[in-house]
Amino acid sequence: MGKPAGYWVNKIRTSFKGGSSSSKSSEDGSASGSRKSGSKHSRSQKTEESNKNVEAGGAQAEGGRKVMVVVDTTSQSKNALQWALTHCVQDEDNITLLHVTKTPVGQGGDETQRERNSRAHEQVHPLKNLCQLKKPKVKTEIVVVETAEEKGKAIVEESKKQGAGVLVLGQRKRTSKWRVIWKWRTKAGMGGGVIEYCIHNSDCMAIAVRKKSNTGGYLITTKRHKDFWLLA
């Protein structure tokens, strides 16, 4: 028998926040027993859950996770960041804004990599200002990666290197033409694009976010859920 919709909403929301929906019910169940033994069991359970969270989330900032958001100059990127600030980031977390650029072919002009990185920082700096406005207690940094590889591979590698606990990406609305191409690429073993690559290859939880303009809220895609609708 399937789970009710409310169950999955609660399950997904707690996973975004880094909590565990099962820990509370376990602690409530132990309260009917001896107060002393229940307290020991609760402490032991919390320690085990803490260790599991660290292992699942990679190297974490002291007292919280590192939430990595892939950013650029598009509206999809900004929407994903706004969702993360509202539904995912907590005061004890750190935010890393990852901007991935492609290495220019032919090296046109005299612009150096350092100059390109400086320009890339300037392009996404307004998003850092948004983070500081919405979450003034949270440390925010910008990381620019220039790569000649596929963008998805570069994102996954950098998330591992940075020890991200959560990876958030903005997603465009999929047109019918895009869906046909995606199915063809998947059948041909070519992969489904940057979003799909990150979701299925990231060590941490990868979340694709798209703002649902007509009815409000967001469509969320993870390894276990596709286009799951969450109200804002």
Side-chain angles (χ1 to χ4, degrees):
M1 184 176 179
K3 300 287 186 181
Y7 170 86
W8 290 114
V9 171
N10 181 61
K11 191 80 172 176
I12 293 177
R13 286 189 185 278
T14 52
S15 66
F16 293 154
K17 291 292 185 181
S20 172
S21 59
S22 61
S23 61
K24 184 177 181 181
S25 59
S26 298
E27 290 171 10
D28 291 344
S30 65
S32 60
S34 168
R35 182 180 297 273
K36 185 175 180 180
S37 62
S39 177
K40 289 181 179 179
H41 175 72
S42 178
R43 286 197 298 268
S44 175
Q45 186 178 37
K46 286 180 180 179
T47 301
E48 291 177 2
E49 288 176 354
S50 177
N51 291 336
K52 288 179 181 179
N53 286 338
V54 171
E55 292 173 0
Q60 297 184 2
E62 184 178 353
R65 305 166 300 167
K66 178 172 285 189
V67 179
M68 177 173 283
V69 184
V70 179
V71 296
D72 49 36
T73 57
T74 64
S75 60
Q76 291 83 12
S77 169
K78 186 175 181 180
N79 290 338
L81 178 59
Q82 289 176 326
W83 175 87
L85 292 172
T86 303
H87 297 278
C88 185
V89 178
Q90 302 182 77
D91 287 344
E92 64 269 21
D93 294 336
N94 286 349
I95 301 173
T96 297
L97 303 179
L98 175 63
H99 185 34
V100 179
T101 62
K102 297 289 288 183
T103 303
V105 179
Q107 295 294 332
D110 298 325
E111 190 178 34
T112 65
Q113 181 177 352
R114 185 173 181 177
E115 290 171 337
R116 291 194 298 272
N117 285 349
S118 178
R119 178 160 50 84
H121 270 86
E122 292 177 1
Q123 289 175 341
V124 298
H125 197 270
L127 298 179
K128 182 178 181 180
N129 293 338
L130 177 63
C131 293
Q132 292 171 337
L133 178 65
K134 297 287 187 180
K135 294 286 184 178
K137 296 181 180 180
V138 177
K139 179 182 177 183
T140 304
E141 65 173 347
I142 297 174
V143 174
V144 175
V145 174
E146 182 178 296
T147 180
E149 299 178 325
E150 291 293 329
K151 189 175 180 180
K153 185 176 181 180
I155 292 171
V156 170
E157 289 179 350
E158 191 63 25
S159 69
K160 294 177 181 178
K161 178 181 175 181
Q162 295 283 338
V166 181
L167 177 64
V168 181
L169 308 98
Q171 187 173 35
R172 292 181 176 87
K173 184 177 181 180
R174 296 171 176 175
T175 63
S176 56
K177 181 179 179 180
W178 188 95
R179 285 193 291 267
V180 171
I181 294 174
W182 179 80
K183 288 181 180 178
W184 176 80
R185 286 175 60 89
T186 302
K187 289 181 179 179
M190 299 172 65
V194 174
I195 300 294
E196 286 75 17
Y197 182 91
C198 292
I199 287 176
H200 292 287
N201 291 278
S202 175
D203 285 351
C204 63
M205 178 182 231
I207 307 165
V209 180
R210 179 168 70 84
K211 192 170 185 179
K212 193 172 176 63
S213 57
N214 293 337
T215 53
Y218 295 87
L219 292 177
I220 307 300
T221 298
T222 67
K223 192 176 290 187
R224 294 186 178 183
H225 304 88
K226 184 176 181 181
D227 290 341
F228 192 95
W229 182 30
L230 286 179
L231 289 173

